[in-house]
Amino acid sequence: MTAFFRKQTANAKNDILSGITVALALVPEAVAFAFVAGVDPLVGLYAAFMIGLITSIFGGRPGMISGATGALAVVMVSLVAEGNGMGEASENLGLYYLFATVILMGIIQMLAGVFKLGKFVRLIPHPVMMGFVNGLSIVIFMAQVKMFSHKSLKVSDAGVNEYVSTYMQGSELYTMIGLVLLTMGIIWGLPKITKKLPAALTAILVTSLIVIGFNMDVSTVGSYIVEGGGTGLKGEFPTPNMELWEKLPFNLDTLKFIALPAFL
């Protein structure tokens, strides 16, 4: 038993610092990818929380992704949009199709592990991987640019509520750009000075302290959600949602619709 605890606490400092870094960085990351996928930000937070919890309990392996990923968000954009179009806007069927796709995806991943299909990843050409990653970076960048805007509610001639984005201007824009450049500069430059401090965690803390200390009026993830008609980052521990089994038709058409995104 003593040997077990020694093994688990061998890198306690690194584990704690990495855990804090991931916890602070995962919140805006999960929310941003939720915006990309077109779902409520709390859905992204719940997903990131559950994946991280399961991975920490059952263990992972080097290179294992246990957080929000832009690749998945990009693939799910069209699925959520098409799913919402299959019913009334209030039904939000796109979200339930997304849940069903994720369940099917997990089943496929478990089967791939059982039959040891991971070795076939080596057959994917390197240019294909580079093209996918570069395309993904462009999509993520375009999604992040939207954070430099404010949303305002307007009612169309047909009486439909529409949210119109207006990009920041003047000192507000310059302040946001300055904070972004400061964060990027710390992440890039700190490892060249010392490797004892995690660059990402230091950048988050320094930028946050500057904003709080000087009482700077800048946009936050919570304010962006409120502008979009939400209530901010208010939630509770996720609970089982049985509406998936009630609203979603489980038939061959549904399987055909979610099969391709699940495989991707």
Side-chain angles (χ1 to χ4, degrees):
M1 183 63 71
T2 303
F4 172 79
F5 282 108
R6 286 179 179 176
K7 181 180 179 180
Q8 298 299 320
T9 58
N11 295 315
K13 184 192 73 173
N14 294 337
D15 291 340
I16 293 173
L17 290 177
S18 62
I20 295 174
T21 303
V22 172
L24 293 176
L26 197 59
V27 172
E29 183 183 48
V31 171
F33 288 146
F35 280 126
V36 174
V39 297
D40 190 280
L42 283 179
V43 175
L45 290 176
Y46 285 158
F49 167 77
M50 292 304 299
I51 293 175
L53 179 63
I54 293 172
T55 304
S56 62
I57 293 176
F58 295 99
R61 57 186 303 163
M64 182 177 180
I65 298 175
S66 56
T69 62
L72 184 59
V74 172
V75 171
M76 296 303 173
V77 172
S78 59
L79 180 137
V80 174
E82 293 180 23
N84 287 332
M86 293 181 179
E88 299 293 334
S90 59
E91 291 181 313
N92 200 17
L93 288 182
L95 178 61
Y96 297 107
Y97 279 111
L98 174 61
F99 289 161
T101 304
V102 172
I103 293 174
L104 179 59
M105 186 191 313
I107 296 174
I108 293 173
Q109 289 179 340
M110 288 189 290
L111 292 176
V114 171
F115 294 104
K116 302 185 184 300
L117 301 180
K119 56 186 177 182
F120 292 105
V121 176
R122 302 172 186 171
L123 301 178
I124 300 177
H126 184 68
V128 174
M129 297 180 62
M130 291 299 297
F132 175 77
V133 174
N134 289 332
L136 178 62
S137 65
I138 295 174
V139 173
I140 295 175
F141 173 78
M142 294 174 63
Q144 292 296 312
V145 170
K146 295 179 181 178
M147 291 294 183
F148 289 84
S149 65
H150 293 293
K151 288 185 177 182
S152 57
L153 178 62
K154 291 186 178 181
V155 182
S156 65
D157 297 335
V160 179
N161 292 337
E162 297 178 348
Y163 288 94
V164 180
S165 296
T166 305
Y167 284 97
M168 300 176 182
Q169 297 179 353
S171 60
E172 183 182 22
L173 176 61
Y174 300 144
T175 301
M176 289 289 289
I177 294 176
L179 292 174
V180 171
L181 293 178
L182 174 62
T183 305
M184 295 173 62
I186 295 175
I187 294 176
W188 175 80
L190 186 61
K192 300 180 181 298
I193 301 175
T194 177
K195 295 185 180 297
K196 294 183 178 180
L197 296 175
L201 177 60
T202 303
I204 293 172
L205 292 177
V206 169
T207 308
S208 299
L209 289 175
I210 290 175
V211 172
I212 296 173
F214 290 94
N215 195 25
M216 302 173 67
D217 185 17
V218 297
S219 295
T220 63
V221 174
S223 65
Y224 191 83
I225 296 174
V226 172
E227 289 178 0
T231 57
L233 291 175
K234 298 179 181 179
E236 54 189 7
F237 283 105
T239 56
N241 191 339
M242 303 308 296
E243 291 184 358
L244 171 64
W245 316 107
E246 298 172 358
K247 292 187 176 181
L248 203 63
F250 286 91
N251 49 37
L252 186 58
D253 292 335
T254 299
L255 182 60
K256 290 180 180 179
F257 180 67
I258 67 176
L260 182 58
F263 273 105
L264 294 177

